Amino acid sequence: MPRPSLREKLASSAVDTLHAKGFHGCSIQDITDAAGVPKGSFFNHFKSKEALAIEALGRYLEASRADSLLDKTIPPLERLKNHFSYITDKIEASDFQRGCLLGNLATEMADEYPKMRERLRMAFQSWSEAVESVLREAQAAGDIDPRHDPGELGRFLVNAWEGAIMRLKITKDRAPLDEFFHICFKVLLK
Amino acid sequence: MPRPSLREKLASSAVDTLHAKGFHGCSIQDITDAAGVPKGSFFNHFKSKEALAIEALGRYLEASRADSLLDKTIPPLERLKNHFSYITDKIEASDFQRGCLLGNLATEMADEYPKMRERLRMAFQSWSEAVESVLREAQAAGDIDPRHDPGELGRFLVNAWEGAIMRLKITKDRAPLDEFFHICFKVLLK
């Protein structure tokens, strides 16, 4: 197997460093050190720390498997539960540290980094639209109340989920996610 | 009127600086510059940047008027709406920049600053408990479904609200809060 390029090393290592320390909480040197590449090589591969963070976010999103929301071989509400369970398991495996990279970067960068904000806007939009499409299917199947607006509810659930992940960074347990599951699936989508 | 002490200047100015730039996004010098006090005086008044951030958070919480949730002269659900409307107005007045200082510090600091995490834990808990007590009153008055668990629902709503505020940092409009209002008051608490 060929050795990963410096660019590849930087990008894959940055996902971890940015997730653990936040955008302002780590320096370019922290990122190059973690990647095991010379600091001087950074700007040969990325125009800015923001550009690397945008690349890292894309990789994080790919690993989050939101496309499983579109797998129509699984009944819609079961698919939605599987999606949130998959994220819950990953968060539990990291001892409730770090939170969600998407939410972390939104909180830290949205005001001052327009390119990152646009990337985050697209990411939240496509995630929300995937949840919306699952809710539409569930409505068509008669599984949930036909009076729900699936677009609004999809965005609300994504935001509520991000808020629950923020809260568990403080509680350091899964209670906020368990409560999200209960209200999402036993109250809102009953 | 006596002139504010250096400590007072630092603490009141830090609320603004930390809210605008984040904990890691500003230096102690940024805070002393904004306060108009000599950098060298900082450690005469605060043991650390974290200690100042904890003081600033307390001031922010006082200004957020969560105690109005306990004002029993106003019907419970109206009081809850007023509470979230008050925050919405403040956020709109700041052009949807900055988000919520509580949520911002939770995202940025909870993993690595145990004292701040404990302060945030208490703040989220007392806010959630105030919402819970409003929901209990609404249940006792027959305004909302008696099957809700007010504790769980109170925590869920606080988290969902924080998630909506995170989202509006990206959308730069009030849509996430309007959608929160709709689902909170027309679906969950109908």
Side-chain angles (χ1 to χ4, degrees):
Chain A
M1 218 167 70
R3 286 195 306 171
S5 68
L6 288 192
R7 187 180 195 286
E8 176 58 32
K9 277 188 188 173
L10 273 168
S12 69
S13 169
V15 180
D16 200 56
T17 309
L18 289 166
H19 203 182
K21 294 178 178 289
F23 183 76
H24 292 113
C26 70
S27 62
I28 287 178
Q29 172 126 31
D30 291 332
I31 293 169
T32 53
D33 283 356
V37 309
K39 185 182 175 192
S41 67
F42 183 89
F43 290 102
N44 297 334
H45 301 285
F46 293 96
K47 224 167 61 184
S48 63
K49 193 174 157 199
E50 180 186 15
L52 173 62
I54 289 172
E55 170 86 22
L57 175 60
R59 288 162 184 251
Y60 178 82
L61 292 169
E62 268 176 40
S64 71
R65 295 206 203 148
D67 54 347
S68 68
L69 285 169
L70 306 175
D71 172 7
K72 297 200 178 180
T73 63
I74 298 166
L77 290 185
E78 191 183 326
R79 209 187 311 154
L80 192 58
K81 268 187 204 158
N82 289 350
H83 171 65
F84 288 125
S85 294
Y86 174 75
I87 308 175
T88 302
D89 289 346
K90 284 179 80 153
I91 287 173
E92 191 152 27
S94 71
D95 290 328
F96 310 104
Q97 304 284 328
R98 302 186 169 196
C100 168
L101 183 61
L102 191 58
N104 296 352
L105 295 177
T107 300
E108 231 191 319
M109 297 183 70
D111 286 343
E112 298 192 35
Y113 295 86
K115 282 183 195 155
M116 175 58 94
R117 176 156 81 86
E118 178 56 20
R119 183 67 189 87
L120 289 163
R121 194 191 62 69
M122 283 163 43
F124 272 111
Q125 185 176 318
S126 72
W127 184 14
S128 300
E129 285 174 356
V131 173
E132 172 183 350
S133 76
V134 175
L135 297 176
R136 273 188 208 288
E137 283 177 63
Q139 272 184 331
D143 294 341
I144 63 172
D145 192 326
R147 291 168 299 176
H148 284 309
D149 171 342
E152 177 181 79
L153 191 54
R155 290 185 293 275
F156 175 85
L157 290 177
V158 163
N159 297 348
W161 178 254
E162 285 294 325
I165 291 184
M166 175 194 285
R167 182 72 166 264
L168 72 72
K169 288 188 81 169
I170 293 165
T171 63
K172 299 294 179 202
D173 63 30
R174 54 181 290 154
L177 302 186
D178 289 340
E179 295 185 335
F180 171 92
F181 267 83
H182 183 244
I183 288 179
C184 176
F185 292 103
K186 302 288 182 189
V187 181
L188 280 167
L189 304 180
K190 67 175 181 246
Chain B
M1 220 168 70
R3 287 195 304 172
S5 69
L6 288 192
R7 187 181 196 285
E8 176 59 32
K9 278 188 187 173
L10 274 168
S12 69
S13 169
V15 180
D16 201 56
T17 309
L18 289 166
H19 202 182
K21 295 178 178 288
F23 183 76
H24 291 111
C26 70
S27 62
I28 287 178
Q29 172 126 31
D30 291 331
I31 293 170
T32 53
D33 283 356
V37 308
K39 185 182 176 193
S41 68
F42 183 90
F43 291 103
N44 297 335
H45 301 284
F46 292 96
K47 225 169 59 186
S48 63
K49 193 174 159 201
E50 179 186 15
L52 173 61
I54 289 172
E55 171 86 23
L57 175 61
R59 286 162 185 250
Y60 177 83
L61 292 169
E62 268 176 41
S64 73
R65 294 206 205 147
D67 53 347
S68 68
L69 284 169
L70 307 175
D71 172 7
K72 297 202 178 180
T73 64
I74 298 167
L77 290 185
E78 190 182 327
R79 209 188 309 155
L80 192 59
K81 268 187 205 158
N82 290 349
H83 171 65
F84 288 125
S85 294
Y86 175 75
I87 308 176
T88 302
D89 289 346
K90 285 180 79 152
I91 287 173
E92 191 151 27
S94 72
D95 289 328
F96 310 104
Q97 305 284 328
R98 302 187 168 196
C100 168
L101 182 61
L102 191 57
N104 295 352
L105 295 177
T107 300
E108 230 190 321
M109 297 182 69
D111 286 343
E112 296 191 36
Y113 295 87
K115 282 182 194 155
M116 175 58 93
R117 175 156 81 87
E118 178 55 20
R119 183 67 189 88
L120 290 164
R121 192 191 63 71
M122 284 164 43
F124 272 110
Q125 184 176 319
S126 72
W127 184 14
S128 301
E129 284 173 357
V131 174
E132 173 183 349
S133 77
V134 175
L135 297 176
R136 272 188 208 288
E137 282 178 63
Q139 271 183 332
D143 295 340
I144 63 172
D145 192 326
R147 290 168 300 176
H148 284 309
D149 172 342
E152 178 181 77
L153 190 55
R155 290 185 293 276
F156 175 84
L157 289 177
V158 163
N159 297 348
W161 177 254
E162 284 293 325
I165 291 184
M166 175 194 284
R167 182 74 166 264
L168 72 73
K169 288 187 80 170
I170 293 166
T171 63
K172 300 293 179 201
D173 63 29
R174 52 181 290 154
L177 301 186
D178 289 340
E179 295 185 334
F180 172 91
F181 267 83
H182 183 242
I183 288 179
C184 177
F185 292 104
K186 302 287 182 190
V187 181
L188 279 168
L189 303 181
K190 66 173 184 248

